[in-house]
């Protein structure tokens, strides 16, 4: 990490505050050939609700996603020793995901306390994702199993803002996730690269009485204890999965939690750069929370501006979307009703994301695009340069200066481009009509338009 998280946060907040003051003059941005903002790992989506609803179908979004997050869940409808799960009256049924460890009778995964046939649809979608090339798989949790919760309600504690995991079950939550990861490796041919034990743990809205979905608050000190157990449980099963934490709702919360967890727990439990982890996961949930808690819809423009901000300031090396299929006006890249199990039309967001995900591919080096409206990536093997830019202002030309690739630097006479109108209109329209003039090219952008360009740079000018 070049900048500290605090630096990035400050810049990010300043940018959000400025709200992208609109630009009217023609613009020029200089792509920095020598920059290196990390090697791209991929794009993906969390499975959970939509995969539970549609996991038995064959279709998958054709965006070249290679990351899938599987939700190890926490509901079950059995009674045990006189206890049953307590369900919030507002619960949306399609947001209950059946968990595997259904009672506390035994921790032995071969005992009848475990139901491995649960959650068949989401597991099916996970396997299909892997079969189609998803190579980064994460196991994540949004709450402990219901019976580990103080009030037996996996939507949260009675007040929403206090811990709901019983203190004598800290190890069981870790044991549950490690057991699922081990069972998946042994029986499903699924190797989780990472395990994430908490979802938005500092939030104060995980309220058992009012919740519409599963969730759980964890104090930082509880997180630390559970993280320690999780490291031990994973290692004792011979698993090399790393731990992702903490997937907070807001960047500043993530920072606060990060600072509260001791460096020894960090070193022991989170070997792979935890800040990097929660940037790529936490960053997306920030968008989710900010938007959905404010009762707003997730508009395409918010998707794009968050993507650009992330790429430029948070420097993630992967980007994971919450729900690829969801209701109209919600998350859906494709509109779907998880409760009625119907799939509707493809949303404009899908094509906006295609402008990024189909072009910035795993293994590419992320470059400094030179402005807040541009991201760039370079593939050393094929010498392909990808430039993606967005115009928020009135229609204008944007000039792309490639002179830092040295002169002449680029050989193609015609550059391919793809165009999507962010709110509505053209959807991923491909054209080959943009000439290179010396070390520059330019293109006209309508207002609220995103364009992607692909240029092959000549062999002797690989950026270093
Ligand atoms: C079942 O409930 C009884 C009465 O509350 C209790 O004494 C016993 O320990 C419980 N057994 C298990 C396995 O939880
Ligand atoms: C780039 O163009 C120059 C000048 O036309 C030419 O000599 C060179 O071979 C080209 N390089 C590639 C990789 O096409």
């Amino acid at each position: 990490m070049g900048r500290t998280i605090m630096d990035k946060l400050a810049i990010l907040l300043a940018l959000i505050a400025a709200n992208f003051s609109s630009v009217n003059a023609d613009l020029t941005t200089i792509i920095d050939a020598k920059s290196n903002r990390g090697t791209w790992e991929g794009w993906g989506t969390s499975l959970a609700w939509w995969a539970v609803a549609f996991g038995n179908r064959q279709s998958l979004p054709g965006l070249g996603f290679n990351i899938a997050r599987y939700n190890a869940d926490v509901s079950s409808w059995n009674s045990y020793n006189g206890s049953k799960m307590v369900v919030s009256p507002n619960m949306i049924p399609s947001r209950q995901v059946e968990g595997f460890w259904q009672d506390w009778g035994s921790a032995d995964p071969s005992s009848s306390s475990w139901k491995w046939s649960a959650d068949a649809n989401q597991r099916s979608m996970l396997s299909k994702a892997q079969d189609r090339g998803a190579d980064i798989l994460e196991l994540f949790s949004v709450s402990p199993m219901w019976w580990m919760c103080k009030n037996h309600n996996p939507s949260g504690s009675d007040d929403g803002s206090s811990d709901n995991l019983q203190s004598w079950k800290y190890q069981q939550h870790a044991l549950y996730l490690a057991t699922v990861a081990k069972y998946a490796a042994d029986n499903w041919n699924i190797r989780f690269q990472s395990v994430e034990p908490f979802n938005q743990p500092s939030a104060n809205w995980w309220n058992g009485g009012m919740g519409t979905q599963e969730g759980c608050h964890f104090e930082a000190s509880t997180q630390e204890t559970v993280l320690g157990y999780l490291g031990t449980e994973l290692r004792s099963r011979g698993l090399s999965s790393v731990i992702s934490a903490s997937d907070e709702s807001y960047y500043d919360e993530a920072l606060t939690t990060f600072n509260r967890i001791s460096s020894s727990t960090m070193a022991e439990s989170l070997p792979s750069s935890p800040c990097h982890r929660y940037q790529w996961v936490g960053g997306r949930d920030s968008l989710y929370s900010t938007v959905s808690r404010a009762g707003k819809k997730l508009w395409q423009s918010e998707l794009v501006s968050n993507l650009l901000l992330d790429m430029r300031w948070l420097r993630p090396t992967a980007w994971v979307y919450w729900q690829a299929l969801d209701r109209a006006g919600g998350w859906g890249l494709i509109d779907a009703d998880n409760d009625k199990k119907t799939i509707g039309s493809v949303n404009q967001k899908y094509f906006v994301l295609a402008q990024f995900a189909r072009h910035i591919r795993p293994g590419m080096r992320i470059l400094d695009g030179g402005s807040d409206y541009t991201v760039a990536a370079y593939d050393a093997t094929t010498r392909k340069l990808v430039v993606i830019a967005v115009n928020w202002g009135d229609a204008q030309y944007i000039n792309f200066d490639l002179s830092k690739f040295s002169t002449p630097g680029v050989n193609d006479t015609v550059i391919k481009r793809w165009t999507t109108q962010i709110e509505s209109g053209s959807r991923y329209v491909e054209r080959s009509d943009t000439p290179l003039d010396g070390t520059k090219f330019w293109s006209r952008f309508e207002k609220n338009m995103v364009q992607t360009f692909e240029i092959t740079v000549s062999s002797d000018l690989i950026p270093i």
Side-chain angles (χ1 to χ4, degrees):
M1 275 199 338
R3 289 174 189 278
T4 67
I5 294 178
M6 193 56 102
D7 286 340
K8 289 180 196 169
L9 181 68
I11 296 164
L12 181 76
L13 295 177
L15 278 167
I16 289 170
N19 197 23
F20 290 102
S21 53
S22 74
V23 278
N24 295 306
D26 288 359
L27 300 170
T28 297
T29 192
I30 303 170
I31 313 295
D32 186 353
K34 291 196 164 60
S35 58
N36 186 350
R37 299 182 157 214
T39 302
W40 194 248
E41 290 176 79
W43 303 87
T45 183
S46 297
L47 300 181
W49 308 331
W50 71 269
V52 170
F54 302 111
N56 55 349
R57 301 207 189 188
Q58 284 303 328
S59 56
L60 272 182
L63 291 172
F65 282 179
N66 65 309
I67 301 173
R69 298 182 70 236
Y70 176 83
N71 182 8
D73 238 90
V74 299
S75 290
S76 71
W77 291 268
N78 52 306
S79 317
Y80 188 71
N81 203 28
S83 295
K84 268 181 90 76
M85 176 171 74
V86 176
V87 179
S88 159
N90 300 333
M91 179 53 114
I92 298 172
S94 62
R95 296 182 175 187
Q96 293 178 297
V97 186
E98 188 176 17
F100 303 103
W101 196 4
Q102 302 214 335
D103 68 57
W104 57 95
S106 172
D108 176 354
S110 62
S111 74
S112 63
S113 294
W114 296 73
K115 180 179 170 187
W116 292 108
S117 61
D119 198 21
N121 280 4
Q122 193 189 182
R123 286 189 284 114
S124 168
M125 189 57 84
L126 177 65
S127 293
K128 283 173 198 160
Q130 177 164 265
D131 292 347
R132 294 186 183 204
D135 55 359
I136 299 180
L137 307 177
E138 177 168 88
L139 177 68
F140 76 100
S141 171
V142 300
S143 162
M145 281 298 309
W146 65 265
W147 52 263
M148 297 181 194
C149 297
K150 289 178 182 166
N151 58 5
H152 287 182
N153 186 330
S155 289
S157 57
D158 294 340
D159 65 1
S161 57
S162 55
D163 276 17
N164 202 23
L165 176 59
Q166 294 164 349
S167 57
W168 60 95
K169 293 258 166 33
Y170 288 173
Q171 187 172 5
Q172 268 92 333
H173 182 51
L175 187 151
Y176 176 47
L177 296 176
T179 303
V180 173
K182 173 72 173 154
Y183 193 91
D186 294 347
N187 298 280
W188 305 335
N189 189 32
I190 294 288
R191 273 162 195 80
F192 290 111
Q193 189 188 73
S194 55
V195 177
E196 189 190 74
F198 322 112
N199 176 53
Q200 304 180 310
S202 295
N204 58 8
W205 55 69
W206 300 124
N207 186 308
M210 303 195 299
T212 57
Q213 64 188 75
E214 298 158 333
C216 187
H217 177 96
F218 291 88
E219 291 295 319
S221 57
T222 312
Q223 291 183 46
E224 180 165 6
T225 308
V226 174
L227 287 172
Y229 282 128
L230 184 54
T232 307
E233 295 292 339
L234 289 169
R235 277 195 301 277
S236 73
R237 286 166 180 75
L239 295 167
S240 56
S241 317
V242 299
I243 300 173
S244 299
S246 272
D247 189 357
E248 292 287 11
S249 330
Y250 305 107
Y251 297 106
D252 56 346
E253 263 180 2
L255 184 66
T256 305
T257 304
F258 180 80
N259 288 337
R260 280 192 193 141
I261 290 174
S262 74
S263 49
S264 60
T265 301
M266 272 307 168
E268 210 183 320
S269 313
L270 311 171
S272 85
S273 174
C275 52
H276 154 95
R277 284 288 154 198
Y278 69 55
Q279 280 163 15
W280 68 263
V281 180
R284 290 312 84 230
D285 280 356
S286 159
L287 173 63
Y288 168 70
S289 306
T290 314
V291 172
S292 68
R293 297 291 150 198
K296 288 199 285 181
K297 291 180 177 180
L298 176 67
W299 296 110
Q300 287 73 256
S301 56
E302 287 169 320
L303 171 67
V304 178
S305 58
N306 275 274
L307 247 172
L308 289 171
L309 281 171
D310 281 5
M311 296 293 286
R312 185 154 174 80
W313 300 113
L314 294 176
R315 303 191 186 185
T317 52
W319 203 87
V320 181
Y321 200 68
W322 172 231
Q323 291 287 282
L325 276 72
D326 192 14
R327 285 176 291 192
W331 282 91
L333 301 173
I334 298 169
D335 292 340
D337 185 321
N338 294 333
D339 290 284
K340 293 188 183 139
K341 298 205 169 28
T342 53
I343 294 182
S345 53
V346 179
N347 196 295
Q348 201 76 5
K349 287 199 279 283
Y350 178 96
F351 299 97
V352 169
L353 198 49
Q355 297 273 150
F356 292 80
R358 287 183 183 159
H359 299 273
I360 297 181
R361 301 299 306 156
M364 282 187 170
R365 179 163 121 191
I366 304 300
L367 304 179
D368 179 353
S371 60
D372 293 335
Y373 50 84
T374 309
V375 294
Y378 179 73
D379 183 333
T381 313
T382 59
R383 289 184 223 112
K384 190 200 291 175
L385 172 67
V386 172
V387 177
I388 306 169
V390 176
N391 176 39
W392 301 108
D394 291 338
Q396 62 180 329
Y397 283 90
I398 297 181
N399 304 295
F400 300 92
D401 181 333
L402 305 183
S403 60
K404 289 201 177 174
F405 283 76
S406 88
T407 309
V410 179
N411 257 15
D412 282 358
T413 47
V414 176
I415 295 166
K416 263 197 189 174
R417 68 183 172 113
W418 291 260
T419 299
T420 296
Q421 203 63 48
I422 292 169
E423 296 300 346
S424 65
S426 61
R427 295 180 151 193
Y428 200 69
V429 177
E430 182 178 340
R431 293 193 181 86
S432 298
D433 59 358
T434 304
L436 182 76
D437 182 2
T439 57
K440 278 203 175 104
F441 69 95
W442 52 85
S443 187
R444 184 181 160 84
F445 284 67
E446 300 304 323
K447 185 181 173 76
N448 296 334
M449 174 178 274
V450 55
Q451 294 200 60
T452 302
F453 305 89
E454 285 195 355
I455 308 114
T456 306
V457 301
S458 58
S459 58
D460 48 340
L461 295 160
I462 293 171
I464 296 160

